[in-house]
Amino acid sequence: MALLSLNALKQIMRVMVDSPGFDRVLKKVEIVSASPGKVVCEMKVEEEHTNRGGTMHGGLTATLVDVISTTAIMYSERGAPGVSVDMNITYMNAAKIGEDVLITAQVLKQGRTLAFATVDLTNKATGKIIAQGRHTKHLGS
């Protein structure tokens, strides 16, 4: 399969967030750059993204790891999104309302049936790591 263009990748993300499903929580996420197997996104933490403590909700962090790593896997030669097999997130620091978060997804390995990706969420201003996730996806045979 041919590599998607950056514009095509952005259009796919737009269709996802404009649908009535759960992915609409990512409406404020913007793709900043992409290269084969790597996607960088950015979002500003707003009240709608927070938990009762006023920091970015852990469920949103998990969703970002899921969707942005899948986007990086799709932005590769194979171009298949696959289905999740395993995902884990380590939460290290809080992101507060008004802070800009960079989400960097990198495909570590893509084999015949599995893809492995890592995602770092960092504070754009300080470079401080907020969370790190790993995602394994089954790509089919």
Side-chain angles (χ1 to χ4, degrees), residues 6-39:
L6 181 56
N7 282 339
L9 198 63
K10 288 180 177 184
Q11 287 176 338
I12 290 168
M13 182 74 117
R14 199 55 39 218
V15 167
M16 286 171 42
V17 301
D18 287 344
S19 71
F22 183 76
D23 289 332
R24 69 178 180 240
V25 301
L26 302 174
K27 200 173 259 314
K28 305 283 173 79
V29 175
E30 292 296 325
I31 297 175
V32 175
S33 66
S35 57
K38 182 177 181 179
V39 172

Side-chain angles (χ1 to χ4, degrees), residues 5 30 38 52 74 76 104 122 139-141:
S5 70
E30 292 296 325
K38 182 177 181 179
R52 289 179 181 228
M74 288 175 60
S76 66
T104 305
T122 55
L139 302 174
S141 41

Side-chain angles (χ1 to χ4, degrees), residues 32-100:
V32 175
S33 66
S35 57
K38 182 177 181 179
V39 172
V40 179
C41 297
E42 184 176 345
M43 68 167 274
K44 182 180 288 293
V45 178
E46 297 182 6
E47 187 174 11
E48 66 193 79
H49 304 128
T50 61
N51 56 28
R52 289 179 181 228
T55 61
M56 189 162 72
H57 194 286
L60 177 60
T61 301
T63 300
L64 289 165
V65 168
D66 182 7
V67 174
I68 307 307
S69 63
T70 299
T71 305
I73 291 166
M74 288 175 60
Y75 199 67
S76 66
E77 193 60 40
R78 188 133 172 216
V83 293
S84 296
V85 173
D86 182 58
M87 189 171 72
N88 68 68
I89 297 102
T90 302
Y91 301 89
M92 292 172 257
N93 287 292
K96 298 174 183 70
I97 293 174
E99 293 181 342
D100 290 316

